[in-house]
Amino acid sequence: MTTATATKPNHALTNCKGQLENIIELYKLSQQEADWNDERDIEEEARDMALDVCWKSDDWQAVGDQANFTPTKGRVLLTWGGPACQVVCDIEDGYPTNPEIQWQDWGTPWTMSSFQSEDALEWFINLFWWGE
């Protein structure tokens, strides 16, 4: 006799995948010719996904904070709590590079998602201001 082991759904991973799918959809719409609906601001929709935009050197600080430091990492928080989702990137000379989407649930560390979309994430992360 064999018994099937029930697998517990990973709501944090499902949440992350849904956030990435939204980013990909908006990215694809942004790449279309100018015949799209003028009433729909695709870039604004994408920016509105962010709950928080931070950068860090030694500690996370609000973007635009006047402290003397050189930011090396950026984060766009998309959802928080359990589950949570964020897009993180490196910051080089005020420009974001190497974005990746991550997920987290209660009691688990931030984990890079196994599914990524480099072009869409590059487009998304560049919608935010990372300069000084």
Side-chain angles (χ1 to χ4, degrees):
M1 173 181 203
T2 60
T3 58
T5 304
T7 56
K8 185 177 176 184
N10 186 333
H11 297 292
L13 187 57
T14 302
N15 172 53
C16 182
K17 186 176 181 181
Q19 294 295 323
L20 181 59
E21 287 170 355
N22 288 342
I23 291 170
I24 291 170
E25 176 187 349
L26 292 172
Y27 168 70
K28 286 179 179 177
L29 287 171
S30 75
Q31 301 305 303
Q32 292 178 358
E33 298 295 325
D35 62 348
W36 50 313
N37 187 345
D38 291 334
E39 294 178 16
R40 186 171 183 189
D41 188 340
I42 302 301
E43 290 184 359
E44 189 66 27
E45 281 186 48
R47 281 188 206 97
D48 286 347
M49 292 176 65
L51 298 177
D52 186 40
V53 180
C54 296
W55 57 17
K56 84 174 209 172
S57 181
D58 292 328
D59 298 308
W60 288 108
Q61 296 189 17
V63 171
D65 196 359
Q66 298 301 313
N68 286 329
F69 81 112
T70 301
T72 57
K73 297 280 186 188
R75 176 186 75 187
V76 178
L77 184 65
L78 301 174
T79 61
W80 62 278
C85 180
Q86 65 183 6
V87 177
V88 295
C89 65
D90 296 324
I91 298 177
E92 297 175 7
D93 298 321
Y95 295 97
T97 61
N98 307 317
E100 66 180 44
I101 193 163
Q102 300 177 340
W103 59 271
Q104 179 186 45
D105 210 345
W106 296 112
T108 62
W110 284 106
T111 305
M112 185 174 98
S113 169
S114 60
F115 38 84
Q116 301 284 325
S117 176
E118 187 175 327
D119 291 341
L121 289 174
E122 285 279 347
W123 169 80
F124 178 74
I125 206 78
N126 274 288
L127 294 174
F128 300 93
W129 180 76
W130 299 102
E132 294 185 37

